[in-house]
Amino acid sequence: MSDENIRKARTHVSQSEALIFERSSPGKRGSDLAPLDVPPADPRRDLGPDLVRDDVEGFPEVSEIEVIRHFTRLSTWNYAIDCGMYPLGSCTMKYNPRVNEYVARLEGLATEHPYQPLELSQGCLRILRDLEKALLAITGMDAVTIEPAAGAQGELTGLLLIHAYLQDTQGQPRKKVLIPDSAHGTNPASAALTGYEVQNIRSDASGQIDFDELRRLATEDVAALMLTNPNTLGVFEERMAEIAALLHERGALLYMDGANMNALAGVARPGDLGVDVMHLNLHKTFSTPHGGGGPGAGPVAVKQKLEPYLPVPVLAEDSEGGFRLEVVRPKSVGRVKAFGGNFGVLVRALAYILAYGPGIRQATEDAVLNANYIRKGLEGIYELPYASPSMHEVVFSDARQKKNEVSTIDIAKRLIDYGFHPYTTAFPLIVHGAMMIEPTESESKEECDLFIDALRSIAGEAATNPALVKSAPHTTRVGRLDEVAAARKPVLRWKA
Ligand SMILES: *Cc1c(COP(=O)(O)O)cnc(C)c1O
């Protein structure tokens, strides 16, 4: 077959759908209109000659069923957790239970307006209060704000709280925030945005924060340490309590990035480990749909001493069980979000938590089990840079495949041909050629086995036919894009 014929044949594979312009053939129509029995309108007269064209250049001419098939196939392109495993490490792409969607769409929840009088919003406020209570139970913290709209905004909010607390109690906010080299990129960005200088701390050979280095760096001008636990290597920071004690002794605070609570919820509470401030990613751990930039929710939970600084409004309950929104709080850092957060996201998170109840512990255990199952299945095939036990995610590297010049991005692209969404590539930064895999608790053993088989098979290809892997994906209409140009200078218009 000629290349052109192969291309046409492949347009019947869903991932290779041609542009609708390319399906066009002159004179084809989607529908036939009956002959007019009234005089035709004159658009040139009615709209003005400037707005009327005789012809639209390149306008696709296709039949109705071709249009239907084209858009139906396109609608299946967007890879989602509903299509298959989505092992994007650190992102916690778990199944979004349908009951969450049902609840969020209920009349009285989906239709409420934030300017509605408080008397008519009591049910919604009760939901928010129940969510706050559930999050406090899960984290072991004392107070929480559910306003921030993302993990990163939670970080900023948490750091503003630390800034305000130190200013208030020590007369100055201090200068630096310590951040391990395994941290998510949002951590240093949030610290800088709050006005802090960022000081990096290296990890030790086990993948945990280097405690001696921390002891050396936790000087008088340090406001806080931002620690992710389990960290982005999927490794649990075992010395949390000691770390917290050291920081407290030196007048600094411990911030925990709780985006990885999928490894702890129902098992361990950061509040018991000495954490002062933390954020959660409801759109990760608590199953509200995410990807494509939101909406999300990044509640911030704090210990009692930071409660006075929480953003307004603060949800308060009066003695008769009525709810109100407190806005006059002299020490508050102010507003961080309009209308008390992304309500729909918050409703979904509460629905998830209530549906599981104490079963959250089982979800956590299954998430850790799945990550370790995949680790076992791939150990010896891919390099494991840190031998420490894995929590909810496992980080391999491409070191072995690199000998044949096959890198993490090539392997990730090849996974697409096997029907899987790629894992997270090249993060965390401290692992060269990182392959970060987070299956979540949603996946069955069968699905994990298929994924392991795919990655084993790709390792075989990398050894015997590296060119095949390096040129993947082969089943999609376009292969490798210039990803920077695609984001910064997207070409969104078809030209003949
Ligand atoms: C996802 C993530 C964040 C940022 O959360 P967003 O909601 O994307 O802003 C921060 N830290 C870690 C460890 C994460 O995984």
Side-chain angles (χ1 to χ4, degrees):
M1 269 203 285
S2 70
D3 279 1
E4 177 62 7
N5 282 343
I6 292 171
R7 192 187 63 71
K8 278 195 182 142
R10 280 186 25 198
T11 59
H12 292 284
V13 180
S14 66
Q15 294 274 309
S16 301
E17 183 70 9
L19 297 179
I20 194 140
F21 301 99
E22 294 165 342
R23 296 189 169 276
S24 175
S25 42
K28 263 199 193 174
R29 288 270 171 279
S31 59
D32 286 316
L33 297 177
L36 284 178
D37 55 3
V38 290
D42 179 356
R44 273 174 211 288
R45 192 200 57 215
D46 298 341
L47 298 173
D50 302 353
L51 295 175
V52 181
R53 283 179 288 189
D54 286 328
D55 198 13
V56 182
E57 199 198 343
F59 198 73
E61 297 178 82
V62 283
S63 70
E64 182 169 321
I65 191 164
E66 283 170 326
V67 174
I68 296 288
R69 285 184 181 157
H70 174 68
F71 285 106
T72 303
R73 286 195 284 247
L74 280 188
S75 73
T76 66
W77 271 32
N78 197 2
Y79 192 95
I81 190 70
D82 293 346
C83 301
M85 186 169 168
Y86 207 133
L88 208 52
S90 205
C91 296
T92 315
M93 306 300 284
K94 63 169 70 175
Y95 175 62
N96 316 122
R98 288 302 178 272
V99 66
N100 298 357
E101 300 305 315
Y102 172 78
V103 173
R105 283 167 175 72
L106 285 176
E107 199 172 329
L109 297 185
T111 55
E112 299 309 89
H113 194 280
Y115 279 141
Q116 200 163 283
L118 272 191
E119 310 87 85
L120 301 180
S121 304
Q122 291 294 309
C124 292
L125 296 178
R126 156 152 271 145
I127 286 174
L128 298 182
R129 167 46 58 94
D130 286 353
L131 176 64
E132 287 185 359
K133 280 192 180 152
L135 297 179
L136 293 179
I138 290 167
T139 57
M141 304 293 279
D142 299 326
V144 62
T145 172
I146 49 178
E147 280 173 48
Q153 204 195 1
E155 292 167 23
L156 176 64
T157 304
L159 288 163
L160 286 171
L161 296 174
I162 290 173
H163 193 279
Y165 168 79
L166 292 176
Q167 178 70 52
D168 195 25
T169 57
Q170 299 182 11
Q172 54 131 328
R174 300 186 166 205
K175 289 206 181 68
K176 284 190 204 159
V177 170
L178 304 178
I179 301 179
D181 53 8
S182 61
H184 195 269
T186 49
N187 289 190
S190 302
L193 207 56
T194 315
Y196 283 117
E197 199 181 301
V198 174
Q199 168 84 56
N200 243 290
I201 299 201
R202 61 167 186 253
S203 305
D204 65 16
S206 73
Q208 299 183 47
I209 189 170
D210 187 323
F211 194 74
D212 293 331
E213 183 83 341
L214 176 65
R215 194 178 284 129
R216 198 172 66 72
L217 292 175
T219 48
E220 275 180 359
D221 54 357
V222 167
L225 165 71
M226 281 183 102
L227 195 61
T228 308
N229 201 8
N231 63 34
T232 61
L233 293 165
V235 173
F236 185 74
E237 297 281 355
E238 292 168 359
R239 302 176 76 172
M240 274 307 254
E242 269 175 275
I243 291 170
L246 172 74
L247 291 165
H248 293 156
E249 198 179 285
R250 309 219 173 150
L253 299 179
L254 176 57
Y255 183 103
M256 186 178 121
D257 178 333
N260 290 341
M261 271 302 279
N262 218 44
L264 300 186
V267 178
R269 307 190 312 165
D272 300 335
L273 304 175
V275 170
D276 299 298
V277 190
M278 67 177 295
H279 79 266
L280 295 159
N281 281 46
L282 298 191
H283 45 290
K284 293 180 181 172
T285 315
F286 301 102
S287 88
T288 51
H290 63 299
V300 175
V302 298
K303 285 284 170 60
Q304 199 58 49
K305 61 185 179 215
L306 287 135
E307 195 265 347
Y309 311 94
L310 286 179
V312 287
V314 168
L315 187 56
E317 203 171 343
D318 59 35
S319 51
E320 280 103 62
F323 298 101
R324 64 201 152 73
L325 294 171
E326 265 181 26
V327 287
V328 184
R329 301 199 18 121
K331 295 193 168 182
S332 167
V333 295
R335 271 182 198 271
V336 297
K337 171 97 176 67
F339 304 131
N342 276 328
F343 184 67
V345 174
L346 302 171
V347 170
R348 286 174 177 85
L350 182 63
Y352 176 83
I353 293 169
L354 292 179
Y356 272 100
I360 285 225
R361 184 187 175 98
Q362 175 85 47
T364 300
E365 287 170 353
D366 287 351
V368 174
L369 179 64
N370 274 354
N372 281 283
Y373 185 73
I374 287 173
R375 172 178 167 146
K376 271 282 158 225
L378 295 173
E379 243 171 27
I381 309 274
Y382 291 95
E383 188 74 17
L384 197 59
Y386 290 95
S388 309
S390 292
M391 298 289 285
H392 65 305
E393 61 197 2
V394 54
V395 179
F396 290 100
S397 91
D398 62 12
R400 295 180 190 206
Q401 289 67 36
K402 253 294 150 58
K403 294 188 187 108
N404 289 320
E405 287 178 22
V406 172
S407 65
T408 176
I409 190 81
D410 302 320
I411 299 162
K413 296 286 186 198
R414 185 64 176 146
L415 263 179
I416 296 172
D417 292 336
Y418 283 80
F420 288 101
H421 193 283
Y423 50 74
T424 295
T425 57
F427 179 78
L429 299 176
I430 50 167
V431 174
H432 195 77
M435 305 167 58
M436 187 195 215
I437 300 168
E438 180 179 10
T440 83
E441 71 278 14
S442 304
E443 302 307 329
S444 63
K445 177 177 174 300
E446 290 73 18
E447 196 70 17
C448 292
D449 283 334
L450 286 174
F451 181 73
I452 291 167
D453 285 350
L455 273 175
R456 283 176 159 257
S457 171
I458 295 170
E461 292 168 352
T464 56
N465 187 2
L468 177 73
V469 184
K470 287 179 73 62
S471 53
H474 301 284
T475 55
T476 54
R477 186 172 161 79
V478 288
R480 304 277 177 119
L481 302 175
D482 177 339
E483 289 173 9
V484 176
R488 305 278 172 223
K489 292 185 199 154
V491 180
L492 302 174
R493 277 183 76 179
W494 179 80
K495 288 209 187 83

